[in-house]
Amino acid sequence: MFGVLLATSVLTLFSGVHGHMVITSPVPFDQTALNNSPLNADGSDFPCKVGGGSGYTYSVTKMNEVEVGQAQNISFMGSAVHGGGSCQISVTLDKNPDKNSQWKVVHSIIGGCPASIPGNVPADTATYTGAPLASFQWTLPKGMPNGQYTMGWTWINKIGNREFYMNCAPIQVTGGASNNDVFDKLPDMFVVNIPPTTCAIPQSVNWVYPDPG
């Protein structure tokens, strides 16, 4: 349940569908192709919703510039917030991650992610014509290596089906180090509710990560 990961989604903006949550900032891969569903229950599109018949790719819509030690925003769009839950922001040094990629946690949000309400946003108020639903801040620790990498947002929803959500975005890291010493010491991203793990988080719980980073 805790191991190194072997291993997302912007709402299709022209579709008018307001479903599960997706990130809008940083700009995710293949933004217009990305849907708002959780990862496949069999784990076939882990990581980043690539594979498993998703049709989603690592096409770069926009390269997100991230300077170490400087606060960055993560923002969302959607209405089905499932009572919130807990989220992590992780980084892999791979540009095109696969199931063997190593993900390291740089920030965890315990409860209230992506929103802190009893259920879902009422459909009649979910207009989302440009403004994201919620926003949190995260920071890459000093000493992270410079280069082009992949940031991953993962979400364990509080209520509803036992699912695991993941959106990914390309990042260009600057102001950091020329080695991986800091990266290697960060905790591994926590994965649950999909294979290869057999663990599932019970409903109505804001999951407290064992090593939040």
Side-chain angles (χ1 to χ4, degrees):
M1 189 168 169
F2 300 101
V4 174
L5 292 188
L6 303 176
T8 26
S9 13
V10 158
L11 191 64
T12 303
L13 297 178
F14 52 83
S15 70
V17 176
H18 303 296
H20 302 109
M21 305 310 298
V22 295
I23 60 170
T24 57
S25 178
V27 177
F29 288 106
D30 208 358
Q31 186 174 23
T32 58
L34 188 58
N35 65 47
N36 58 6
S37 64
L39 294 182
N40 293 336
D42 62 3
S44 58
D45 58 350
F46 177 80
C48 300
K49 292 187 66 65
V50 174
S54 68
Y56 180 59
T57 72
Y58 287 119
S59 173
V60 176
T61 303
K62 176 185 176 181
M63 181 58 67
N64 301 278
E65 304 289 334
V66 179
E67 184 177 355
V68 301
Q70 299 297 310
Q72 309 291 325
N73 286 331
I74 181 166
S75 302
F76 306 93
M77 182 178 289
S79 60
V81 299
H82 292 293
S86 297
C87 303
Q88 285 191 318
I89 297 171
S90 305
V91 173
T92 177
L93 302 186
D94 297 336
K95 293 182 183 180
N96 300 291
D98 59 27
K99 295 184 185 301
N100 296 312
S101 294
Q102 183 180 41
W103 295 85
K104 292 292 188 175
V105 176
V106 296
H107 186 71
S108 294
I109 304 165
I110 311 299
C113 182
S116 184
I117 61 174
N120 293 324
V121 175
D124 59 356
T125 63
T127 54
Y128 305 117
T129 57
L133 177 73
S135 181
F136 299 89
Q137 287 195 325
W138 58 283
T139 304
L140 283 183
K142 293 182 179 180
M144 285 288 282
N146 294 318
Q148 286 189 9
Y149 307 126
T150 300
M151 169 265 195
W153 166 72
T154 53
W155 171 34
I156 303 171
N157 52 304
K158 184 176 181 180
I159 60 174
N161 294 332
R162 300 297 78 209
E163 298 168 330
F164 192 68
Y165 292 80
M166 187 174 192
N167 293 189
C168 295
I171 58 173
Q172 175 74 53
V173 178
T174 61
S178 58
N179 58 66
N180 299 346
D181 293 351
V182 169
F183 174 85
D184 291 340
K185 294 176 182 177
L186 294 172
D188 297 326
M189 185 174 76
F190 186 84
V191 178
V192 73
N193 297 340
I194 60 169
T197 178
T198 58
C199 297
I201 301 300
Q203 278 209 70
S204 303
V205 170
N206 287 318
W207 178 250
V208 178
Y209 297 104
D211 197 347

